[in-house]
Amino acid sequence: MDAIEIQGGRPLKGEVTVSGSKNATLPQIAAALLAPGPSIFHNTPDLADVRTMGRLIAHLGAKVSRGAEVGPHTLRVDASELPRPEAPYDLVRTMRAAVLVLGPLVARMGRARVSLPGGCAIGARPIDQHLKGLSALGAQIELSHGYVEAKAKRLRGAKVLFDLPTVTGTENLMMAAALADGRTVLENSAREPEVCALAKVLVRMGARVEGAGTSVVTIEGVRELKPVEVDVIPDRIEAGTLLCAALVTGGDVLVKGALEDDLDAALGKLREAGATITSEPGGLRLKAPARPEAVDFITAPFPGFPTDLQAQLMACLSVARGASRVVETVFENRFMHVQELRRMGAEIIVDGGHTAVVRGVERLSGAGVMATDLRASASLVLAGLRAEGTTVVHRVYHLDRGYEALENKLLGLGARIRRIRAPGP
Ligand code: EPU
């Protein structure tokens, strides 16, 4: 099994370019299912989750090409025919975002059968809001043998009030409503940049979507959509992770592709922690102090501080001057990196499951640690970059789900880091 070995203690310096966004790519390639013909997506990251989505879409009967055939970061989805509108357990089990095919399939094919995702490392993560929305649009929903079956001759527009803002739920409903009969109003929608990016793609396909990026999204259904060719936006979470890497090592790094508007809340906290962040052509530069200052923060749906950067900022705060309070409000089980950071000498206590108190220490010491989920893995890599001595992060397949060759990017910034084969746990 692959592991990542880091000799810590070197401030990162230089320039790095972020890859295309995983969480923008996944819904966009699902949206390709809405239109017969070939859609083309440039700047897609080469990641396990994107490959899984490709396999799923191919399983449905679409033709999917990538890599050598169309270019290294281009993905072509020809959804002319979809003879098998079913997402099997084996694929959904490894990637919850597979549920994103539900809306497009019911809307275009009139039926879909998608395995229920079940829990995952960061929490229960139900899909009740997706189902509530689809049933408001007139889909008949049945749950049996671990699968959701949704059927509708043609969906019809309706008002949907989400109980809480859900990113993939909003995306699923936007896609379903794009081909429904009449107007759909989605209230309490998620406002993440990936939702806006999907709305733009849908509009280019011929859909009528307004309000994405606000909490009320309105969609006037149309009869048919056409294929599209798009460039996927840069990954704001990867950008934030690289900025945190600069901060935790006391470095000076230009992150190309980091967009200020998509990262406002995170940049605010990085500045509070003592970083100087400046806008430069094509990206953001972070100059870090020798040691960060303590910062309190609470995760929240966009435009709040992203849960997907909580673990990485916590790694920075583990070496800060003073004590920080971190509150996780989006997922119930997203502090699994804490145990591992403590093995490296961090002083963190978790209080009641949602709050962590981090007392900054002067030094972390390298250790063997275990990645438990995608963002937790990134946090351990960051801690390893700061720590004295050698850190080995095991189970990096979690990291590979969401970061394309992170170790090479860090290597380019002067980190002493390499991928090694390590015995399985
Ligand atoms: N929720 C429900 N019912 C639903 C849907 C969501 O209770 O039907 C709850 C969730 O359990 C969670 C909260 O609502 O407590 C927000 O979850 P959301 O649905 O917004 O998350 P998601 O759409 O499943 C996306 C990203 C995640 C990211 C979250 C929050 C994709 C493919 N995934 O997940 O990304 O953490 O939004 O921003 O877009 C990651 O990249 O590491 C990752 C986990």
Side-chain angles (χ1 to χ4, degrees):
M1 213 179 267
D2 282 3
I4 287 196
E5 185 189 82
I6 305 158
Q7 307 287 335
R10 242 190 211 189
L12 299 186
K13 292 212 159 40
E15 286 183 19
V16 60
T17 302
V18 299
S19 298
S21 159
K22 164 177 85 77
N23 291 347
T25 300
L26 296 172
Q28 289 180 20
I29 57 181
L33 299 172
L34 289 164
S39 286
I40 297 175
F41 302 91
H42 301 290
N43 198 34
T44 62
D46 186 15
L47 296 173
D49 276 9
V50 174
R51 285 192 291 270
T52 304
M53 192 62 134
R55 275 209 302 283
L56 169 56
I57 286 175
H59 174 90
L60 304 172
K63 292 197 185 73
V64 179
S65 9
R66 68 171 302 140
E69 295 161 69
V70 287
H73 287 98
T74 296
L75 195 66
R76 184 176 183 275
V77 178
D78 183 343
S80 294
E81 318 243 343
L82 297 171
R84 224 176 8 252
E86 173 167 322
Y89 177 61
D90 274 355
L91 290 168
V92 180
R93 183 171 56 91
T94 56
M95 189 194 59
R96 293 180 40 84
V99 75
L100 283 164
V101 302
L102 187 58
L105 286 176
V106 197
R108 172 148 167 236
M109 309 307 291
R111 70 193 172 95
R113 190 163 180 268
V114 174
S115 172
L116 282 165
C120 73
I122 59 176
R125 299 182 78 182
I127 57 162
D128 57 306
Q129 299 301 308
H130 303 231
L131 302 184
K132 165 178 143 172
L134 286 172
S135 93
L137 264 61
Q140 279 177 352
I141 309 268
E142 264 181 47
L143 303 183
S144 66
H145 306 292
Y147 278 76
V148 182
E149 266 198 78
K151 288 189 189 141
K153 242 187 165 156
R154 186 170 181 209
L155 295 171
R156 41 166 212 280
K159 185 165 126 177
V160 176
L161 171 58
F162 292 112
D163 293 355
L164 76 186
T166 151
V167 176
T168 49
T170 304
E171 292 166 345
N172 231 340
L173 266 293
M174 273 170 27
M175 293 189 280
L179 283 180
D181 183 19
R183 170 185 294 201
T184 297
V185 181
L186 305 177
E187 292 184 345
N188 200 18
S189 291
R191 297 153 64 185
E192 270 68 3
E194 295 77 16
V195 173
C196 297
L198 174 65
K200 282 189 189 144
V201 170
L202 290 170
V203 167
R204 293 198 37 210
M205 294 173 80
R208 295 171 60 196
V209 184
E210 277 177 15
T214 75
S215 55
V216 182
V217 182
T218 306
I219 304 113
E220 289 288 347
V222 296
R223 273 269 163 206
E224 55 184 24
L225 295 170
K226 53 183 191 302
V228 71
E229 180 164 358
V230 288
D231 286 316
V232 172
I233 56 171
D235 195 308
R236 69 189 164 102
I237 302 301
E238 190 196 346
T241 302
L242 291 164
L243 292 169
C244 285
L247 177 63
V248 76
T249 61
D252 177 352
V253 174
L254 172 61
V255 180
K256 290 189 154 174
L259 303 175
E260 194 143 17
D261 288 349
D262 290 356
L263 281 164
D264 263 345
L267 298 180
K269 291 297 163 184
L270 293 171
R271 287 191 173 108
E272 258 184 64
T276 306
I277 300 172
T278 45
S279 218
E280 291 193 11
L284 297 173
R285 174 178 296 280
L286 185 144
K287 282 191 194 161
R291 240 182 117 181
E293 299 296 329
V295 163
D296 295 339
F297 71 98
I298 299 180
T299 66
F302 193 85
F305 187 95
T307 174
D308 290 344
L309 283 175
Q310 177 257 109
Q312 299 90 315
L313 183 55
M314 193 189 286
C316 301
L317 299 177
S318 70
V319 291
R321 243 186 276 270
S324 308
R325 190 161 165 273
V326 179
V327 183
E328 170 63 54
T329 70
V330 179
F331 290 114
E332 67 260 34
N333 194 17
R334 226 180 186 183
F335 282 145
M336 281 173 305
H337 44 286
V338 166
Q339 282 296 342
E340 301 299 300
L341 290 173
R342 282 166 59 163
R343 302 194 58 251
M344 299 175 72
E347 289 188 14
I348 307 173
I349 49 169
V350 174
D351 183 8
H354 284 281
T355 303
V357 177
V358 186
R359 189 168 318 125
V361 292
E362 236 181 295
R363 287 187 183 80
L364 294 176
S365 65
V369 287
M370 192 80 85
T372 46
D373 75 70
L374 166 56
R375 307 303 170 187
S377 333
S379 133
L380 299 176
V381 169
L382 299 194
L385 292 172
R386 173 78 188 205
E388 288 173 357
T390 307
T391 295
V392 178
V393 181
H394 294 273
R395 296 198 184 171
V396 288
Y397 57 85
H398 288 295
L399 191 76
D400 294 338
R401 291 185 55 185
Y403 293 93
E404 186 178 331
L406 184 65
E407 74 274 20
N408 292 342
K409 289 178 179 159
L410 295 170
L411 193 68
L413 295 172
R416 285 168 295 190
I417 183 168
R418 62 184 182 132
R419 189 172 283 256
I420 56 171
R421 299 289 293 173

